[in-house]
Each structure stands twice: as C-alpha cells, then as structure tokens.
Amino acid sequence: MKSLVSISDFKVEDYLNIIELAAQFEANSYRNLLKGRIISTLFFEPSTRTRLSFESAINRLGGNVIGFADISTTSSTKGESLHDTITMVAGYSDLIVMRHPLEGAAKYAAEISPVPIVNAGDGANQHPTQTLLDMYSIQKTQGKLDNLSIALIGDLKYGRTVHSLIMAMMHFAPHFHFIAPPELQLPKEYLQILNDKNIPYTLHDDMQEVIPEVDIVYMTRVQKERFSEPMEYERTKNLYVLRNSMLDGAKPTMRILHPLPRVNEINTDVDTSPHAYYFEQAHNGVFTRQAIISYLLDL
C-alpha cells in the first residue's frame, strides 16, 4: 500500500509518471476507474481549491466522496482523537485525503491507516499534491523541468507549498532565487539540504531584480493563520506585491504561479498579462489529483 505524505515519498520516476498520467487525464478526464470505490476527504482546516479539485477528480473518475469540510460538524469537537477518527473513517473508505493544521498529522495517519493517506497539507510542513500540480504546470509552460531558474517570493518560512516544491525540483538541476523578509526566510534546514546537494540559490530583498532572469515566478501569500503575533503579520503582509509594470523585461516564456488563495500579493492588473498562469495552474489540480489517486490505487 502506498501513501503520499511527503513529496520525498516519491522518486523522480514517480513524479514523471504522475505528470504523464495528468496529461492523459487532461486529454480524457471522464473515466470510470473509481466505480464502486469510496474516497474520504477529511479537511480539519479550510480549503477551496484542494478540496474541490479532489472532489472533482473523484467524481470524474466515477467514484463516491464522503467526508467533511468543517471540523465543527465532527466528533473532534467532542474530543475524539485523530487516531480514532482515522481508524473509523478507514473502515468506510478505499483512500483518505486529509488536511490538518498540525505538522506530522498526515504521517501519523499513514502509520495507523489500513488504506492509503494523501496529505492535502499539514500545517506549515508540506503540500505534496500541490507540488505535483505545480510540476505539471511547469512542464506544460516550459516544456521541461530541468535547468530552470525559479524565484520563490513571499512567505518562505510557513509556506508548505514552497517547502515541497524545493524538495521535488532539486532533482532537476534548478537555480533558486529566494525573496522574503527576514522574518519569513526559508528555514535553515532547507538551505542545508540545498547546500549538501550543491544546488545553487541566491537570497534577495528586491524581487524586481530577479524577474528578468527567471523562468518561473512563484508567489505566495503571507499566511495570517500561521502567525502567533498579529503585529508580525501586519509588518510583513504587504512587503512583496507583484504588479504588471514590474514584468517589463521578463522572458516571453516566463510564467507566474501561485498556489492561491491570493490576498494582495499579486495585483489584479497582472491577471491579463500573458505571464499569468495561476488560474490555469489551479485547474491543472483536477488532472494531477486524478493521476495521484489512480497511481496510489494502481488503477
């Protein structure tokens, strides 16, 4: 039995297989591969794109969805443990998709569950299915994954999508540019991994200086829900705002990605730019999550 808890659970060949499968699902999205199967979606934390794209993926594959999108409607409010919730729901399901605010929750669930667990985000740790759809989006827009220059901008400390993307893309000879305020710099353990692997990276204060150099601009929002001090959030929330006027000089093939939701870090005047790809990126999540589910269940 396979689960997807961390992007590191998969090897390069797995990434490439899922990207190929996603392309096949984009070409023919409606299939009955999950007919007679039940998938549980357990969202202990709010979600729009991840939850709905998983549910769309399951429905397009002919499966059935059960679960919850609001923890207040569950027995967790009565004190039920994660152990008991997972053990109980596994008896109803062929696979569980789970988002949880605590780092390590998905790993714990995978250790006790008799059915595969898909991590749909665990706190500030990882978001592997987002990374796979990001990789599919990069492959579609750049025609390759290797030897790309990638700028990651905004909340690099708490941004689980950034953490997962770094761990996956480091296998493809990238050059990373990290742009963040001091309070939200990439955690040192990720920099150490890049140093150990001899992956080149640079640290910047000004995002405009790197835009002409890069193939991908990956914007992230400053995540208010991760801050224990409201003043720290207020100090950092508007430090990096991408505007259309800043895209002069960008490579014609450069594309802007964002895991969404957007707050104000991408001005709406960017939406009409040919460089904007974040809404298409979100749509790619359906095909990629179809691929992930079918891959884990060997369909």
Side-chain angles (χ1 to χ4, degrees):
M1 186 190 74
K2 294 177 289 189
S3 287
L4 177 55
V5 172
S6 164
I7 196 64
S8 301
D9 292 339
F10 279 3
K11 298 178 181 178
V12 170
E13 63 189 56
D14 298 309
Y15 304 152
L16 299 178
N17 285 336
I18 287 174
I19 289 170
E20 182 178 350
L21 277 174
Q24 294 174 17
F25 280 117
E26 183 168 8
N28 179 17
S29 187
Y30 291 90
R31 310 186 196 184
N32 280 323
L33 298 178
L34 282 178
K35 185 177 182 180
R37 306 237 189 176
I38 297 172
I39 309 298
S40 289
T41 56
L42 310 184
F43 281 76
F44 294 86
E45 194 176 50
S47 172
T48 300
R49 278 147 299 278
T50 302
R51 180 176 64 83
L52 293 180
S53 65
F54 262 115
E55 292 184 3
S56 178
I58 295 161
N59 286 321
R60 291 177 190 225
L61 291 173
N64 296 290
V65 183
I66 62 173
F68 55 81
D70 183 353
I71 191 174
S72 68
T73 65
T74 75
S75 291
S76 295
T77 61
K78 302 176 184 178
E80 182 172 64
S81 67
L82 180 60
H83 174 280
D84 288 2
T85 299
I86 295 299
T87 302
M88 180 269 298
V89 173
Y92 305 155
S93 319
D94 296 291
L95 180 145
I96 295 172
V97 178
M98 187 180 85
R99 170 171 288 187
H100 201 282
L102 295 180
E103 296 183 23
K107 183 176 187 296
Y108 175 71
E111 290 171 351
I112 62 174
S113 173
V115 301
I117 297 289
V118 177
N119 181 7
D122 60 333
N125 185 29
Q126 289 220 7
H127 196 347
T129 69
Q130 177 70 45
T131 293
L132 289 163
L133 79 87
D134 291 344
M135 295 174 76
Y136 181 52
S137 300
I138 292 170
Q139 174 69 42
K140 282 183 66 177
T141 62
Q142 303 302 313
K144 62 178 184 176
L145 291 172
D146 56 302
N147 296 302
L148 295 174
S149 182
I150 302 172
L152 298 109
I153 302 170
D155 185 352
L156 308 187
K157 179 179 180 180
Y158 299 114
R160 59 193 173 199
T161 62
V162 168
H163 302 163
S164 294
L165 187 62
I166 289 169
M167 296 299 290
M169 288 301 295
M170 71 179 185
H171 298 288
F172 297 93
H175 186 127
F176 290 119
H177 304 268
F178 300 126
I179 302 96
E183 301 93 329
L184 297 176
Q185 284 288 350
L186 191 69
K188 291 181 180 178
E189 56 264 33
Y190 290 99
L191 294 178
Q192 187 59 53
I193 291 169
L194 296 177
N195 289 333
D196 292 343
K197 300 287 186 180
N198 294 317
I199 305 297
Y201 66 85
T202 52
L203 306 177
H204 303 266
D205 294 321
D206 182 359
M207 65 178 177
Q208 192 160 6
E209 70 183 12
V210 305
I211 287 175
E213 303 177 27
V214 301
D215 303 295
I216 295 291
V217 169
Y218 196 93
M219 297 294 298
T220 65
R221 72 183 174 94
V222 176
Q223 300 178 75
K224 185 176 182 180
E225 66 271 25
R226 306 291 178 212
F227 284 80
S228 57
E229 292 292 334
M231 289 303 296
E232 184 181 357
Y233 170 73
E234 292 297 325
R235 281 197 306 271
T236 58
K237 67 177 183 179
N238 293 321
L239 287 178
Y240 294 106
V241 178
L242 185 64
R243 295 179 172 84
N244 193 50
S245 60
M246 301 167 68
L247 302 177
D248 294 342
K251 297 179 181 180
T253 56
M254 186 275 280
R255 292 296 179 267
I256 302 162
L257 304 185
H258 191 310
L260 302 178
R262 163 176 62 180
V263 182
N264 59 356
E265 60 281 353
I266 299 180
N267 192 284
T268 54
D269 69 1
V270 178
D271 294 353
T272 56
S273 167
H275 299 291
Y277 194 76
Y278 28 90
F279 294 123
E280 293 91 336
Q281 174 191 3
H283 296 155
N284 289 337
V286 174
F287 315 121
T288 310
R289 287 170 173 132
Q290 286 183 289
I292 291 166
I293 291 168
S294 64
Y295 195 71
L296 291 175
L297 292 177
D298 294 319
L299 300 179

